[in-house]
Structure formats: C-alpha cells, structure tokens
Amino acid sequence: MKIIKAGYEILTPVPENGIKELQHIENAGRVCYKSESKITEDGESAKKFVKMLIGRGHEAMLEHSQLTVKFIVDRGVSHELVRHRIASFAQESTRFCTYSKGKFNNGVTFIKPFFFEEGTAAYKEWLLAMEHAEEYYIELINMGRTPQEARSVLPNSTKTEVVMTANYREWRAFFKLRTAKAAHPQIREVTIPLLTGLKEKLPVIFDDINVEE
C-alpha cells in the first residue's frame, strides 16, 4: 500500500510570460474588430487586448486557446472534476488497471486526506480502513475476479489521475467554482496552488480571480 498527497502537473508548455498564449487569443479576437494592424510583435498589444476582453466580459475569445493539466487526486474529487462538461478528460481506469501487479508495486495507492493529521485517532482509523480495502481487493483478484469486479471494495480515497483539457474561458469558470470557500476542501487543495501558479504564468488571464480564505 502507498499513501501520497494530492497534486497536479501542468502538461501544456506555458512560458512564464505567457505571451504566445495571449497573442494567439489576440490574433483571433481582433478579427471581430478588424484591428489586426494594432498587433505588436513584443506582445504588449496582446496583454492590453486580452485584459480588455475580460474587462468587457467578451470571454468567448478565450476559447481559442487551451490548457491541459493532470490532477493526481482521490476518486471522490475526480467526480467533481469531470462535471465540467466543456472540457475533455482522460482518467486512470480501475476497470482495466490491476493494482496487484508489478506495474503498481503490487498494491493500491491512496490519497492522504489532509484534514486527518498523522498520528491522530482519526488518521489511524482511516489508515486501517485503507489497509482492509487493499487486502480485500487483492484477495478478490487472487480469487480470479476481474479488476472491474474487485474495484467494488475500493474507497473514495483511492488514487486516480485525471487529465483535463479546457479552453481558458472554461478554466476561469472552473477556478471561480473550485477555489471558492464553499468548494470541497480536497479539490481546493489542488486548485488553489494551481491557480497561484497560473497567475504567475498567465497573469492577464487569471489575475482578477481571487480566492476566498
């Protein structure tokens, strides 16, 4: 059995200044106004243009560029991710992955709930439950049951990987929902640092989204 923390990985190469992303949006958006002559090679026009689009609520133009992120979360959080319908997803399948094989170190990986502090009674109870789940899963596999049958004993804490691709308009909507104070605490565990990182890479697109404490 393996216990890991939730995390993410940005799969789309995004330079720190994000100029190419902004220029792509600008090139599409200026068609609306036939103002292509105002495009500058240094990207300054792109910064001002995209900021203007967001300020006016003309966010449809942000759909012309997209971002791909891989989330490493538990199965419970994954159910919230895939509810964002204007996105494409690829998810680790418990139907076809056999966790008792060497590829998976002969065991199930679980995501540690950050709200259970190690050493506490609650954490010990959770850990015991994970140990039992893994034990029963492997026993079912050894009995000849298929992974899709054996997975019925796996809990929400089972690790999964979800690759999500969406345009920047959808990512803005995603962060407004999934970093909000009312969002599930475990999804905020990954979305808040992801948003912080994207603000550094693409400040024009994400700077106006504030996280509630």
Side-chain angles (χ1 to χ4, degrees):
M1 185 173 73
K2 187 177 181 181
I3 308 296
I4 64 172
K5 291 184 178 181
Y8 66 87
E9 179 184 354
I10 299 173
L11 300 184
T12 302
V14 181
E16 288 302 321
N17 56 16
I19 292 299
K20 288 186 178 180
E21 302 288 312
L22 299 179
Q23 287 176 321
H24 186 74
I25 295 169
E26 180 188 28
N27 286 333
R30 285 198 180 277
V31 170
C32 300
Y33 308 97
K34 295 312 298 173
S35 60
E36 293 94 334
S37 62
K38 293 184 179 180
I39 295 175
T40 61
E41 292 185 6
D42 62 3
E44 288 304 311
S45 65
K47 291 179 184 178
K48 293 177 182 178
F49 185 76
V50 175
K51 187 174 183 179
M52 178 274 292
L53 291 175
I54 293 172
R56 292 184 178 181
H58 191 20
E59 295 191 14
M61 295 301 99
L62 274 61
E63 296 175 15
H64 288 285
S65 195
Q66 63 184 24
L67 177 75
T68 299
V69 176
K70 179 170 72 174
F71 293 95
I72 301 94
V73 293
D74 71 22
R75 301 282 309 178
V77 169
S78 75
H79 298 328
E80 301 204 11
L81 290 174
V82 299
R83 289 178 63 192
H84 291 267
R85 289 172 290 177
I86 308 176
S88 298
F89 298 95
Q91 182 171 4
E92 176 182 339
S93 174
T94 52
R95 287 189 64 200
F96 303 112
C97 294
T98 307
Y99 297 118
S100 62
K101 290 186 176 180
K103 184 195 298 186
F104 302 99
N105 296 314
N106 304 309
V108 183
T109 297
F110 301 102
I111 297 291
K112 178 185 178 297
F114 71 90
F115 41 74
F116 290 156
E117 187 176 345
E118 291 188 41
T120 63
Y123 181 80
K124 291 177 181 178
E125 285 296 315
W126 173 81
L127 190 61
L128 183 62
M130 298 308 104
E131 290 172 349
H132 286 325
E134 180 188 56
E135 178 184 341
Y136 294 137
Y137 173 85
I138 292 175
E139 186 174 338
L140 285 167
I141 292 293
N142 290 340
M143 290 170 62
R145 309 313 301 189
T146 63
Q148 67 180 3
E149 294 171 337
R151 71 173 179 172
S152 59
V153 301
L154 295 179
N156 271 350
S157 288
T158 305
K159 185 272 293 182
T160 189
E161 297 182 10
V162 181
V163 175
M164 176 177 172
T165 300
N167 63 60
Y168 283 106
R169 185 184 195 181
E170 179 61 16
W171 278 112
R172 283 176 55 82
F174 172 85
F175 285 121
K176 289 176 183 178
L177 285 173
R178 301 307 180 182
T179 64
K181 194 173 183 179
H184 193 289
Q186 283 182 286
I187 202 167
R188 294 184 90 217
E189 182 184 11
V190 291
T191 56
I192 291 175
L194 173 58
L195 175 59
T196 299
L198 288 173
K199 282 187 174 186
E200 294 178 1
K201 292 177 178 292
L202 293 157
V204 176
I205 295 178
F206 295 108
D207 258 1
D208 64 319
I209 303 176
N210 298 313
V211 175
E212 299 177 77
E213 296 298 334

